[in-house]
Amino acid sequence: MEVQIAVAKVSKYAVSESGDTLEVVERPNGGLSVVLADGQTSGRGAKAVSQMVVRKVIGLLAEGVRDGAAARAASDALFTEKQGKVISTLNIASVDLNSGTIVLTCNNPAPIFIARGEQIDCLEEESIPLGTSRNVRPLITEIAIEPGLVIVIYTDGLTHAGKRRGLPMDVGATISSILEDQDPTPQVLADALLAEAVSLDENRPADDISVLVLKVTSRIGDNVRRMSVRLPIDGKWQ
Amino acid sequence: MEVQIAVAKVSKYAVSESGDTLEVVERPNGGLSVVLADGQTSGRGAKAVSQMVVRKVIGLLAEGVRDGAAARAASDALFTEKQGKVISTLNIASVDLNSGTIVLTCNNPAPIFIARGEQIDCLEEESIPLGTSRNVRPLITEIAIEPGLVIVIYTDGLTHAGKRRGLPMDVGATISSILEDQDPTPQVLADALLAEAVSLDENRPADDISVLVLKVTSRIGDNVRRMSVRLPIDGKWQ
């Protein structure tokens, strides 16, 4: 099998820096974790908050701390620093090779979609962002790694897309229509969701948007780990 | 323009864990850094060393510390802990959007190849691994970000490939022949170099091998950052 992970990420229109931070870290006991945070507001302030949260979480995960405990620690640190005045959402998606599961840790009101074949489930239990109070519990979901599994996680920029014009995005329906058509790679799915949101915002995203897709395939091939990153730059230093 | 980064990574034959660690971190002032370390020996011990080095470096980079200072700090920390008995190579490749340059920091005897159009240069000045003594200096090279630039960085598994059979790999010639044929994506180039090395080792890599390729293209497109990861898993927990 192969776990494939893809991310597509854009910043709010006319703001050079996305307030969303996403990083990937190797787990000390095997596998990896993707950590995504969306700091309140946008621009540099939001970036500083989401970077602080992600940094705290990946530091703890790298030491072997469990995902839920890392999320609670980041929440306490943020609450201590900002006294509840600044909050941040957090999603951790861990491929845990010890247990053979994907562990989803969520402090984000935005739902998570989980598709297995034709069936698409939506995790939308109440989930509270970090830094809101002293006792923030993450929502934790554990799913067996099996071929055909697709998981879609995103920040609220996707939920808000089009709302300005009264045309909110139906994320579940969009995922369903893309999955029906083909057997898309996770990058195709992430790109398509982001493109739909940006188009609903008339190419001027009203908020930072990040989309993270995990897919498990039955591919048996070489034993090579691969990663690629594409960073558009506007050459403003020139 | 767009900076594209690709990594292909395989572990030594019959060793489940690669001793090489590679992570990507956002730079607080814009851009990102890729950090690659290869700990001495192989398996869990090497992994612990390379993870410690990478973790130290990305923690400092995230705080805004400059690359060279981060490399020296990691060397001092390793030397203090292991008293020179365990060493690690380190490469940092930073896309610095402040200066409009790619900054290469190197504590690795393996050379770095830099291609611009038909011209391929090889950086092979003496470069000493971390943890060897109290005063390890990194080799630092700064290159303007411009379309057509290709940079290839790797761990010594690539250099050693085929040596067992007296058929060492000519990395420069391999890069040159791949670049001549086509305008390969960085993933194609990284995959081809790794495949050549694995084939010279008769599909049983004698060491962990990691290949990192950066490429600057003139692409003007959407302003979307993208990342993808592919993690083969053998399902041994089942």
Side-chain angles (χ1 to χ4, degrees):
Chain A
M1 284 189 288
E2 186 170 84
V3 179
Q4 301 178 345
I5 298 168
V7 177
K9 195 161 171 283
V10 76
S11 53
K12 180 175 171 173
Y13 179 69
V15 173
S16 65
E17 195 151 38
S18 169
D20 297 353
T21 296
L22 181 142
E23 296 202 1
V24 178
V25 65
E26 283 191 41
R27 295 174 72 80
N29 298 312
L32 52 81
S33 295
V34 189
V35 182
L36 171 63
D38 176 5
Q40 206 170 27
T41 73
S42 61
R44 281 198 82 85
K47 187 68 188 177
V49 170
S50 64
Q51 269 186 331
M52 188 270 257
V53 166
V54 168
R55 198 124 306 277
K56 186 87 194 164
V57 171
I58 67 176
L60 291 168
L61 294 180
E63 288 170 12
V65 172
R66 281 185 304 166
D67 300 27
R72 284 167 191 244
S75 183
D76 287 348
L78 183 60
F79 185 79
T80 303
E81 195 175 315
K82 306 285 185 184
Q83 293 298 313
K85 287 180 195 123
V86 178
I87 62 176
S88 172
T89 68
L90 173 70
N91 287 94
I92 311 173
S94 295
V95 181
D96 184 339
L97 298 184
N98 260 343
S99 59
T101 56
I102 290 174
V103 180
L104 305 175
T105 302
C106 177
N107 286 99
N108 185 353
I112 294 174
F113 285 90
I114 299 172
R116 296 178 187 84
E118 311 249 298
Q119 189 194 340
I120 301 182
D121 297 320
C122 178
L123 287 185
E124 47 183 349
E125 284 174 69
E126 194 185 359
S127 175
I128 293 164
L130 304 188
T132 41
S133 74
R134 282 222 173 275
N135 258 314
V136 170
R137 283 163 172 271
L139 203 67
I140 295 183
T141 310
E142 202 169 350
I143 303 166
I145 298 176
E146 54 186 9
L149 179 67
V150 176
I151 298 171
V152 181
I153 293 170
Y154 47 90
T155 57
D156 65 356
L158 200 71
T159 320
H160 294 152
K163 279 197 180 156
R164 209 169 35 186
R165 295 196 296 145
L167 292 169
M169 181 164 173
D170 184 340
V171 180
T174 309
I175 293 172
S176 169
S177 75
I178 301 166
L179 289 179
E180 252 172 34
D181 273 0
Q182 30 177 332
D183 184 28
T185 66
Q187 192 71 61
V188 165
L189 180 52
D191 283 357
L193 285 167
L194 185 67
E196 169 80 7
V198 170
S199 140
L200 285 171
D201 273 339
E202 295 174 296
N203 296 317
R204 297 179 171 199
D207 193 2
D208 308 316
I209 309 175
S210 303
V211 183
L212 162 64
V213 178
L214 286 92
K215 181 174 180 174
V216 183
T217 71
S218 53
R219 176 177 183 278
I220 300 165
D222 49 20
N223 207 26
V224 179
R225 286 190 181 200
R226 294 180 170 84
M227 183 175 65
S228 74
V229 177
R230 291 172 56 185
L231 177 72
I233 49 180
D234 59 6
K236 60 179 175 240
W237 65 82
Q238 289 173 321
Chain B
M1 284 189 286
E2 186 170 86
V3 179
Q4 301 178 344
I5 298 167
V7 178
K9 195 163 173 280
V10 76
S11 54
K12 180 176 171 174
Y13 179 68
V15 173
S16 65
E17 196 152 36
S18 170
D20 297 352
T21 296
L22 182 142
E23 295 202 1
V24 178
V25 65
E26 283 192 40
R27 295 174 71 80
N29 299 312
L32 52 82
S33 295
V34 189
V35 182
L36 172 63
D38 176 6
Q40 206 170 27
T41 74
S42 61
R44 281 198 81 86
K47 185 69 188 177
V49 169
S50 66
Q51 269 187 332
M52 188 270 256
V53 166
V54 168
R55 198 124 307 278
K56 185 88 192 163
V57 171
I58 66 176
L60 291 168
L61 294 180
E63 287 170 13
V65 172
R66 282 185 304 168
D67 299 28
R72 284 166 191 244
S75 184
D76 287 349
L78 184 60
F79 185 79
T80 303
E81 195 175 314
K82 305 285 186 184
Q83 294 297 314
K85 287 180 194 124
V86 178
I87 62 175
S88 172
T89 69
L90 172 70
N91 287 94
I92 311 174
S94 294
V95 181
D96 185 339
L97 298 184
N98 260 343
S99 59
T101 56
I102 290 174
V103 181
L104 304 176
T105 302
C106 178
N107 285 99
N108 185 353
I112 294 174
F113 285 90
I114 299 172
R116 297 178 186 84
E118 311 250 299
Q119 190 195 338
I120 302 182
D121 298 320
C122 179
L123 287 185
E124 46 183 350
E125 285 173 68
E126 194 186 0
S127 175
I128 293 164
L130 304 188
T132 42
S133 74
R134 281 222 173 275
N135 258 314
V136 170
R137 283 164 172 271
L139 203 66
I140 295 185
T141 310
E142 203 168 348
I143 304 166
I145 297 177
E146 54 186 10
L149 179 67
V150 176
I151 298 170
V152 181
I153 294 169
Y154 47 89
T155 57
D156 65 356
L158 200 71
T159 319
H160 294 152
K163 279 197 179 155
R164 208 169 35 185
R165 295 195 297 147
L167 294 168
M169 181 164 172
D170 183 339
V171 180
T174 310
I175 293 173
S176 170
S177 74
I178 301 166
L179 290 179
E180 253 172 33
D181 273 0
Q182 31 177 332
D183 184 27
T185 65
Q187 192 71 62
V188 165
L189 180 51
D191 283 357
L193 285 167
L194 185 67
E196 170 79 7
V198 170
S199 139
L200 285 171
D201 272 340
E202 295 175 296
N203 295 317
R204 296 178 172 199
D207 193 2
D208 308 316
I209 309 175
S210 303
V211 183
L212 162 64
V213 178
L214 285 92
K215 180 175 182 173
V216 183
T217 70
S218 54
R219 176 178 183 278
I220 300 166
D222 50 20
N223 207 27
V224 179
R225 286 191 182 199
R226 293 180 171 85
M227 182 175 66
S228 73
V229 177
R230 291 171 56 185
L231 177 72
I233 49 180
D234 59 6
K236 60 179 173 238
W237 64 82
Q238 291 174 319

